[in-house]
Amino acid sequence: MKLNQLTIDGGTQSRVKIIQEAVNEYAESLKGGARFPPVLVYYDGIKYYLTDGYHRYFAHQKAGIKDIEVTVVNGTLRDAILRSFSVNAENGRHRSNEDKRNAVQAMLDDFEWQFWNNTEIAKACRVSETLVISMRSGAKPDVVRVRRNGKVFERKAKYEKPEAEESEHDATSDVIKSLADENDKLKDRLAVAVYAADESEKKLVEKTIEQLREDIRLLEIELKSTRISRDTLLNENAAMKKQIAAMQRQLKK
């Protein structure tokens, strides 16, 4: 495949930076007749996203070789980005610790992947679960370097509470909610007790209060479900806007 057929600015380069020494070394080997394994490419029906093999790509470019061997996998841009987080975990030019952290941080910052558990993120990035936990807890430096459109930027890292703390918080919330429910029931009983009416009227009032409480509970559940659906749609819309913007930038080139 021609080098100019490959898209290299779709966010599928998870390293912090390209190692120029490696590019130079590979380029010299190519000029000497060496052959390298095919690069990995994801095809979404429109573009071919280079996912694994950036050093080989730039080495071919430096050596003046316009064609490169590829392995094509059908998939979306997000499939390609997710796959890029684990490249060179076992072969090729090994990743630096900064590269590993960059991949994990990209997942923790993503609107969808940030909700994966520690084990899933560690597996996707081919790193230790300990690293993911430490980054969620904010135990590491607050500034990370991120590569976007061929440029490296520094930005403040975003961290989430570890799952253990979240579970403890959820348990506390459950206890508070249970106590609040019991308090509401006691208030209802006191209200009925002081109500100046016979027993049949008191029972009717008590049932009415119970029904109203149940109606409120169901409405709260429905409202929560609506909010979740709204947030999901907003996240999907934001992701689509980013993809459309990236495609528009490509069309302008």
Side-chain angles (χ1 to χ4, degrees), residues 12-50:
T12 55
Q13 189 348 43
S14 64
R15 288 184 185 272
V16 172
K17 63 180 179 180
I18 294 295
I19 304 171
Q20 193 57 47
E21 292 82 357
V23 173
N24 296 338
E25 178 187 328
Y26 291 176
E28 289 301 316
S29 297
L30 287 168
K31 290 177 181 178
R35 294 187 63 180
F36 286 85
V39 298
L40 178 64
V41 173
Y42 271 69
Y43 179 58
D44 67 354
I46 300 175
K47 293 183 178 181
Y48 293 91
Y49 295 100
L50 179 61

Side-chain angles (χ1 to χ4, degrees), residues 185-243:
K185 289 178 181 178
L186 287 172
K187 287 180 180 179
D188 294 342
R189 290 170 186 168
L190 287 171
V192 172
V194 299
Y195 181 59
D198 56 33
E199 288 301 318
S200 61
E201 289 177 329
K202 287 184 179 181
K203 287 182 180 179
L204 179 60
V205 170
E206 189 173 356
K207 287 183 179 179
T208 301
I209 292 174
E210 288 179 359
Q211 183 60 50
L212 288 172
R213 293 255 182 222
E214 179 64 16
D215 290 343
I216 291 172
R217 188 184 69 83
L218 293 175
L219 286 171
E220 287 176 342
I221 293 173
E222 185 177 349
L223 177 60
K224 184 177 181 181
S225 177
T226 301
R227 285 174 176 168
I228 292 173
S229 299
R230 178 204 62 191
D231 292 344
T232 301
L233 288 172
L234 287 174
N235 287 333
E236 290 177 351
N237 185 51
M240 187 167 291
K241 283 182 178 179
K242 288 182 181 178
Q243 190 166 358

Side-chain angles (χ1 to χ4, degrees), residues 28 31 43 57 64 66-67 73 76 78 81-82 84 90 107-108 139 141 172 191 204 215 252:
E28 289 301 316
K31 290 177 181 178
Y43 179 58
Y57 171 90
K66 297 182 179 180
D67 297 290
V73 175
T76 65
R78 283 184 66 76
I81 294 173
L82 182 61
S84 75
E90 296 179 351
M107 293 198 70
L108 293 177
T172 303
L204 179 60
D215 290 343
K252 290 178 181 179

Side-chain angles (χ1 to χ4, degrees), residues 33-216:
R35 294 187 63 180
F36 286 85
V39 298
L40 178 64
V41 173
Y42 271 69
Y43 179 58
D44 67 354
I46 300 175
K47 293 183 178 181
Y48 293 91
Y49 295 100
L50 179 61
T51 306
D52 182 3
Y54 275 82
H55 287 98
R56 282 168 281 168
Y57 171 90
F58 287 113
H60 277 70
Q61 194 176 70
K62 184 176 179 64
I65 302 173
K66 297 182 179 180
D67 297 290
I68 189 169
E69 293 187 32
V70 302
T71 297
V72 179
V73 175
N74 291 323
T76 65
L77 174 57
R78 283 184 66 76
D79 292 333
I81 294 173
L82 182 61
R83 176 65 180 83
S84 75
F85 295 145
S86 64
V87 300
N88 298 128
E90 296 179 351
N91 50 41
R93 183 69 60 166
H94 290 309
R95 302 174 297 175
S96 66
N97 289 335
E98 195 175 15
D99 291 333
K100 296 175 184 178
R101 291 178 58 81
N102 194 60
V104 173
Q105 191 61 54
M107 293 198 70
L108 293 177
D109 288 344
D110 186 81
F111 74 96
E112 174 190 359
W113 297 324
Q114 64 178 296
F115 297 110
W116 288 18
N117 63 40
N118 296 331
T119 302
E120 291 170 329
I121 292 178
K123 184 177 180 181
C125 296
R126 300 295 293 276
V127 299
S128 69
E129 190 171 342
T130 302
L131 174 61
V132 180
I133 294 172
S134 69
M135 292 185 66
R136 276 193 192 273
S137 67
K140 298 294 181 179
D142 292 332
V143 176
V144 294
R145 297 173 67 191
V146 181
R147 188 179 183 85
R148 292 288 184 271
N149 297 327
K151 297 181 180 180
V152 177
F153 302 90
E154 284 193 353
R155 62 161 173 73
K156 187 175 181 181
K158 298 178 182 178
Y159 298 103
E160 295 182 8
K161 292 182 179 180
E163 293 180 347
E165 291 184 18
E166 291 174 354
S167 298
E168 182 179 346
H169 174 73
D170 291 342
T172 303
S173 298
D174 289 341
V175 172
I176 293 173
K177 186 178 183 304
S178 177
L179 290 172
D181 289 342
E182 288 297 322
N183 187 50
D184 287 337
K185 289 178 181 178
L186 287 172
K187 287 180 180 179
D188 294 342
R189 290 170 186 168
L190 287 171
V192 172
V194 299
Y195 181 59
D198 56 33
E199 288 301 318
S200 61
E201 289 177 329
K202 287 184 179 181
K203 287 182 180 179
L204 179 60
V205 170
E206 189 173 356
K207 287 183 179 179
T208 301
I209 292 174
E210 288 179 359
Q211 183 60 50
L212 288 172
R213 293 255 182 222
E214 179 64 16
D215 290 343
I216 291 172

